[in-house]
Amino acid sequence: MPYLHPCKTINSFDEQASYEAAIRENSDNGTTTSTGGRKKRGVATHTKFWASHRTLKIAFLDPPSDAHRQAALEAIKQWQSSINLTLEFANNAEGDIRISMEAPLNYSAIGTDATLRGPGENTMNIGTELTHPGFEGAVLHEFGHALGMEHEHQHPKADIPWNKPAVYHFYLTAYNWSKEEVDHNLFRKLETTNTRITPYDPTSIMHYSIPNELTIGDWSVGKNKTISKNDRRLMRRAYPKA
Ligand SMILES: [Zn+2]
């Protein structure tokens, strides 16, 4: 059975442009307190949350079928109760979030980075097939990115006991990822978003699954399929209702 390709975030954006887009949308993205309590401000550490209480318009670009679109839409709606944004689904291709559904890759821009994509370009791709049992989890994960969430396994407090040679070998043979791609998507720690607001959470929908063979000792994370309590807490803090 082929492995599901792990998600990669779209981060081909200029750091300065990403920072400016985040501030233009929501000035709170510029000033945040790191986990250590220090005040930080700058291009590498800004958050990418949308402006509170705004309407976020979601469009699908050539969905394979109505059923496919509808299944993604239902999964996305699971986020609604934890945010103060209004999620609105467009009937055409125009939206703040533009979703294509071409197999097999899953990827998304993080939060306000979506504003840096060209008007006809997707901001997210759901490559997991509708018939796959991982479809709903894949949509929940990608939409978490669209709301500004980063990968949880890159939380600075993650302390995952990686067996690095095994990880490089597995990702190379299963997905043809280079050492640099593995470093960037798995081992690199992030100082942004999730990492400052909530503690490390291995049950997060934003965590990669990590089989025991890729760690030292008895340590693994299964394929998370639902939005965790911690994920909801993070979203309530980023988009408070009161
Ligand atoms: Zn991801």
Side-chain angles (χ1 to χ4, degrees):
M1 195 180 96
Y3 294 106
L4 276 185
H5 284 262
C7 157
K8 279 183 183 173
T9 55
I10 306 175
N11 47 21
S12 56
F13 307 109
D14 176 73
E15 284 269 0
Q16 186 66 31
S18 170
Y19 175 75
E20 283 166 14
I23 303 303
R24 201 181 305 130
E25 169 73 18
N26 177 353
S27 61
D28 288 348
N29 281 320
T31 313
T32 33
T33 307
S34 78
T35 41
R38 284 168 299 146
K39 285 277 183 191
K40 287 204 170 188
R41 190 181 179 91
V43 292
T45 58
H46 67 281
T47 56
K48 300 175 182 180
F49 298 121
W50 300 93
S52 265
H53 300 286
R54 66 117 81 196
T55 294
L56 200 62
K57 204 168 168 190
I58 300 150
F60 290 86
L61 308 179
D62 301 320
S65 67
D66 281 349
H68 212 127
R69 178 184 186 275
Q70 194 60 29
L73 186 154
E74 292 301 333
I76 289 169
K77 282 183 180 170
Q78 292 183 35
W79 285 108
Q80 181 68 81
S81 62
S82 301
I83 56 177
N84 65 23
L85 308 175
T86 301
L87 302 180
E88 187 182 297
F89 295 91
N91 290 316
N92 55 26
E94 283 172 35
D96 304 298
I97 308 299
R98 296 179 297 279
I99 304 172
S100 55
M101 299 173 118
E102 285 173 32
L105 301 179
N106 291 317
Y107 57 82
S108 176
I110 296 178
T112 52
D113 276 350
T115 64
L116 299 172
R117 297 284 274 181
E121 263 185 315
N122 67 353
T123 68
M124 177 188 300
N125 189 65
I126 307 289
T128 303
E129 304 278 359
L130 177 58
T131 51
H132 193 284
F135 177 80
E136 183 183 85
V139 177
L140 293 175
H141 177 104
E142 295 313 320
F143 204 77
H145 285 314
L147 292 172
M149 296 172 83
E150 308 257 12
H151 281 143
E152 188 71 9
H153 54 274
Q154 293 181 281
H155 193 292
K157 298 270 166 62
D159 283 333
I160 297 167
W162 296 111
N163 180 340
K164 289 193 175 184
V167 176
Y168 288 130
H169 178 76
F170 173 79
Y171 276 80
L172 178 66
T173 46
Y175 312 118
N176 201 30
W177 282 20
S178 67
K179 187 173 178 291
E180 289 69 31
E181 286 174 293
V182 172
D183 288 342
H184 187 85
N185 293 288
L186 282 93
F187 301 150
R188 184 177 56 108
K189 299 283 179 74
L190 299 168
E191 256 296 332
T192 49
T193 321
N194 326 7
T195 69
R196 315 198 169 92
I197 302 180
T198 47
Y200 171 62
D201 172 22
T203 71
S204 170
I205 192 69
M206 306 312 292
H207 206 299
Y208 278 10
S209 68
I210 301 174
N212 207 7
E213 307 86 79
L214 299 188
T215 63
I216 293 161
D218 186 18
W219 201 101
S220 64
V221 169
K223 185 75 207 129
N224 298 334
K225 294 188 171 74
T226 56
I227 301 169
S228 74
K229 280 186 184 158
N230 194 69
D231 292 332
R232 293 203 180 278
R233 192 173 302 132
L234 166 64
M235 286 293 92
R236 284 198 303 271
R237 290 188 186 165
Y239 301 109
K241 293 198 177 178

